[in-house]
Amino acid sequence: MPGRRGEQERQAALRALPRRRAERTGWEPSAGPTCCGNSLSSPAALARLAQLLGALRGALLCAQVRRRLSSPRGRRGAGGALRTARRGLVGFMMLTVMFLAAFTLTTINSQETEETITYTQCTDGYEWDPVRQRCKDIDECEIVPDACKGGMKCVNHYGGYLCLPRTAQIIVNNGREDTAAESTGGRNNVIRRTPADPHRPPPNPTHRIQCATGYEQSEQNVCQDIDECATGTHNCRADQVCVNLRGSFSCQCPSGYQKRGEQCVDIDECNLPPYCHHRCVNTPGSYYCQCNSGFQLAANNHTCVDINECDANNPCAQQCYNILGSFICQCNPGFELSSDRINCEDIDECRTSSYICQYQCVNEPGKFSCICPEGYQVVGARTCQDINECETANECREDEMCWNYHGGFRCYPRNPCQEPYVLTSENRCVCPVSNAICRELPYSIVYKYMSIRSDRTVPSDIFQIQATTIYPNTINTFRIKSGNENGEFYLRQTSAISAMLVLVKSLSGPREHIVDLEMLTVNSLNYRTSSVLRLTIIVGPYAF
């Protein structure tokens, strides 16, 4: 079929057809139906039509009267016939006048609506023939320039065209019996047939088509290939193989042979490397491969592969690996080869390193496992992680709060205040100013808790204290009031309102330290006040 570009060129050519037809023939479609060379829409044509109809009616009546007067019975009834003729003529004239009036009104209405009736519109691929007064096929192969691409030939078809190979033979038939000899178009090798009576039965199909050499007519009235190899009409030698082709056949040598002159001789495949891996043995029309001792042919019958001793008789205790002519033994992870290079012995991973587990290593056959102390759980097979008992299950009372630390938990009272201090907010106790005893005591005590690992590296910043209320024209000083009898801590002031508690000596757990950190505030009027942060430090039993 034509490509997109060919279709565009065809449409452009078809649009130009009406203009070229008008220029070539000088014919244009009429505006309406015609009679006697005049348009029926004009008054002269209508008068002429009435005259013709009247003359025709008079002639018919005269002929009828002559027939009746030629007989005696007819002469007696001539008077009645004439009267009958007059009545018929009057009736005919009235009908004619009514017909002409109706036709005139129809024509006037048609002219007023300016509707044009044409009988020359044809479908795509056809054009109007003004001589034969019918649609005829357009030969696109003549009017469309370069309709087919790629060396294809253009073959005109009813309502279109085809692009086919130049060697193709086209048989054009309307499905009716041929009455004339077949005509072959020399340009496109097209056989066209002249259709005859469509009601006559088709003749013998053997006389309807002509097939090329190597083809024959089938029952479906099409040309099909002749298999010369199946019918025995080939001329191949006994040592050759017949191969059927479209319209012909070919004589070839069987597999493993090659043609030399008119004979087929054996091919020595052993001289065409690479075929056999080790040795090649040529045979008539074929060959086979052989392998050296200790090897065997693979599934492709060409490659030689080693005989796998591991599959035949595995001598290894655990893993066997085949190599060329031999094998080697290996052990699973956690085992090592013994001195005989066949058996395997367990490796005690716990003896190889003391850092393999964070807490304790347990050796097992072929592997090891790590365990953690109470209050910890194994994470990542080797690491121990603290279990937060305060989030899971604990034994604290309702008036107590649970505090988790590394390796355990403790319960502390929710109201840690002691007389004369009063709880004002969570973990904050205030001594009322109205109480005389409070004048010599810190104004407030805040309770805080923290946990550190055992044997923590020193020095290490562990806690920061900071004033919550800032007054103008005041000076803040910080000190460790109690809990540092052994000098494990040092308080370093970092700003006018904050200080950092530093661990200067390593602590081993499990152990609890209570350290009071005091902030003294003095203003310009020599007013003094103090606040205490009571920090409970819980040292875990382990360094993790």
Side-chain angles (χ1 to χ4, degrees):
M1 293 299 293
R4 180 177 297 177
R5 180 179 176 185
E7 180 62 21
Q8 294 174 352
E9 295 174 351
R10 174 182 174 272
Q11 295 296 333
L14 291 178
R15 286 194 296 268
L17 278 176
R19 184 177 64 254
R20 284 192 281 181
R21 285 195 230 105
E23 294 173 355
R24 183 172 62 251
T25 63
W27 171 85
E28 303 230 352
S30 61
T34 60
C35 176
C36 306
N38 296 320
S39 173
L40 289 181
S41 60
S42 63
L46 295 176
R48 179 61 176 167
L49 179 59
Q51 293 175 2
L52 292 176
L53 292 175
L56 178 61
R57 180 61 177 172
L60 292 176
L61 290 175
C62 290
Q64 183 177 6
V65 171
R66 289 193 194 97
R67 283 195 301 271
R68 292 194 177 184
L69 291 176
S70 61
S71 61
R73 185 179 179 181
R75 284 191 296 269
R76 289 192 300 267
L82 288 175
R83 289 190 298 271
T84 302
R86 291 192 198 98
R87 289 194 297 269
L89 180 58
V90 172
F92 175 76
M93 291 302 293
M94 293 179 66
L95 290 176
T96 301
V97 171
M98 294 174 63
F99 169 75
L100 292 177
F103 189 83
T104 303
L105 291 175
T106 303
T107 305
I108 293 173
N109 292 334
S110 175
Q111 291 177 351
E112 289 177 354
T113 56
E114 295 183 358
E115 294 182 355
T116 301
I117 303 175
T118 62
Y119 298 92
T120 59
Q121 295 179 356
C122 300
T123 58
D124 292 342
Y126 292 87
E127 63 180 352
W128 179 253
D129 188 348
V131 178
R132 298 184 179 179
Q133 293 292 305
R134 65 180 184 181
C135 294
K136 69 176 182 179
D137 177 56
I138 300 173
D139 191 349
E140 292 85 355
C141 296
E142 292 183 357
I143 65 172
V144 178
D146 196 16
C148 295
K149 311 294 182 180
M152 305 290 281
K153 69 179 180 179
C154 179
V155 179
N156 186 53
H157 190 56
Y158 295 110
Y161 65 98
L162 303 173
C163 292
L164 300 174
R166 295 193 176 277
T167 58
Q169 186 180 55
I170 312 301
I171 300 173
V172 180
N173 197 326
N174 285 338
R176 294 177 287 182
E177 181 183 357
D178 301 336
T179 59
E182 297 173 347
S183 62
T184 302
R187 182 186 65 178
N188 293 327
N189 194 22
V190 178
I191 300 177
R192 302 184 180 273
R193 295 175 176 167
T194 304
D197 186 4
H199 301 289
R200 296 176 57 187
N204 191 338
T206 58
H207 301 292
R208 295 183 62 187
I209 61 174
Q210 178 181 355
C211 298
T213 303
Y215 293 85
E216 63 182 357
Q217 178 188 349
S218 67
E219 295 179 356
Q220 290 75 24
N221 199 22
V222 296
C223 292
Q224 65 180 9
D225 175 57
I226 300 175
D227 190 350
E228 294 84 358
C229 300
T231 58
T233 56
H234 62 87
N235 56 357
C236 297
R237 296 165 52 93
D239 57 349
Q240 295 177 340
V241 178
C242 177
V243 178
N244 185 59
L245 304 175
R246 292 179 62 85
S248 183
F249 65 93
S250 174
C251 297
Q252 300 179 3
C253 292
S255 177
Y257 290 85
Q258 62 183 354
K259 207 167 187 179
R260 185 174 298 171
E262 295 296 329
Q263 296 182 349
C264 293
V265 296
D266 175 58
I267 299 174
D268 190 356
E269 293 84 358
C270 296
N271 292 330
L272 302 174
Y275 277 106
C276 294
H277 195 180
H278 289 173
R279 294 192 305 272
C280 176
V281 179
N282 186 59
T283 60
S286 183
Y287 69 99
Y288 64 91
C289 299
Q290 290 182 343
C291 296
N292 299 330
S293 178
F295 293 83
Q296 61 184 358
L297 279 174
N300 58 10
N301 292 325
H302 291 83
T303 307
C304 293
V305 295
D306 175 63
I307 298 175
N308 194 337
E309 295 86 356
C310 297
D311 291 341
N313 183 20
N314 187 1
C316 299
Q318 291 185 356
Q319 298 180 20
C320 177
Y321 291 92
N322 182 68
I323 60 175
L324 290 176
S326 184
F327 64 95
I328 57 173
C329 295
Q330 288 188 357
C331 299
N332 298 327
F335 294 88
E336 60 184 357
L337 279 174
S338 61
S339 57
D340 60 4
R341 314 302 298 173
I342 293 178
N343 296 311
C344 296
E345 298 176 353
D346 176 57
I347 299 174
D348 189 355
E349 295 87 356
C350 298
R351 296 179 59 184
T352 59
S353 174
S354 58
Y355 302 99
I356 194 169
C357 291
Q358 192 173 34
Y359 177 66
Q360 184 178 348
C361 177
V362 178
N363 184 61
E364 299 177 12
K367 61 180 182 178
F368 69 95
S369 61
C370 297
I371 60 175
C372 295
E374 185 180 0
Y376 292 85
Q377 60 185 354
V378 178
V379 177
R382 299 188 182 189
T383 306
C384 293
Q385 185 183 57
D386 173 58
I387 299 174
N388 191 345
E389 294 86 356
C390 295
E391 293 181 353
T392 56
N394 58 79
E395 299 176 355
C396 296
R397 300 191 305 268
E398 292 185 0
D399 60 343
E400 294 178 333
M401 55 177 273
C402 178
W403 180 260
N404 183 72
Y405 66 90
H406 297 289
F409 71 98
R410 293 195 179 186
C411 299
Y412 293 101
R414 294 184 181 276
N415 184 5
C417 302
Q418 298 177 0
E419 291 290 341
Y421 286 91
V422 178
L423 183 67
T424 59
S425 61
E426 183 179 2
N427 296 333
R428 181 180 175 84
C429 302
V430 176
C431 192
V433 180
S434 59
N435 194 335
I437 303 176
C438 295
R439 297 176 183 177
E440 302 297 329
L441 297 175
Y443 171 72
S444 65
I445 300 176
V446 178
Y447 291 85
K448 294 290 183 179
Y449 308 91
M450 69 173 297
S451 175
I452 63 174
R453 295 180 176 87
S454 180
D455 301 323
R456 183 168 178 171
T457 57
V458 293
S460 177
D461 297 344
I462 61 174
F463 190 83
Q464 183 180 18
I465 181 174
Q466 183 173 341
T468 57
T469 305
I470 303 174
Y471 298 97
N473 300 323
T474 59
I475 299 174
N476 298 314
T477 59
F478 299 88
R479 68 171 183 167
I480 300 177
K481 186 176 182 179
S482 64
N484 192 28
E485 289 76 11
N486 296 325
E488 295 96 344
F489 306 99
Y490 168 74
L491 189 61
R492 182 180 75 248
Q493 188 163 348
T494 57
S495 69
I497 60 172
S498 63
M500 178 65 70
L501 182 64
V502 182
L503 178 67
V504 295
K505 288 184 180 180
S506 180
L507 298 178
S508 298
R511 183 179 175 183
E512 181 182 82
H513 289 269
I514 299 177
V515 182
D516 286 349
L517 306 177
E518 185 179 26
M519 182 183 70
L520 300 174
T521 303
V522 181
N523 61 10
S524 59
L525 300 177
N526 202 22
Y527 173 77
R528 295 170 59 90
T529 183
S530 67
S531 298
V532 173
L533 189 149
R534 184 159 293 169
L535 179 63
T536 302
I537 303 174
I538 305 173
V539 182
Y542 305 101
F544 49 83

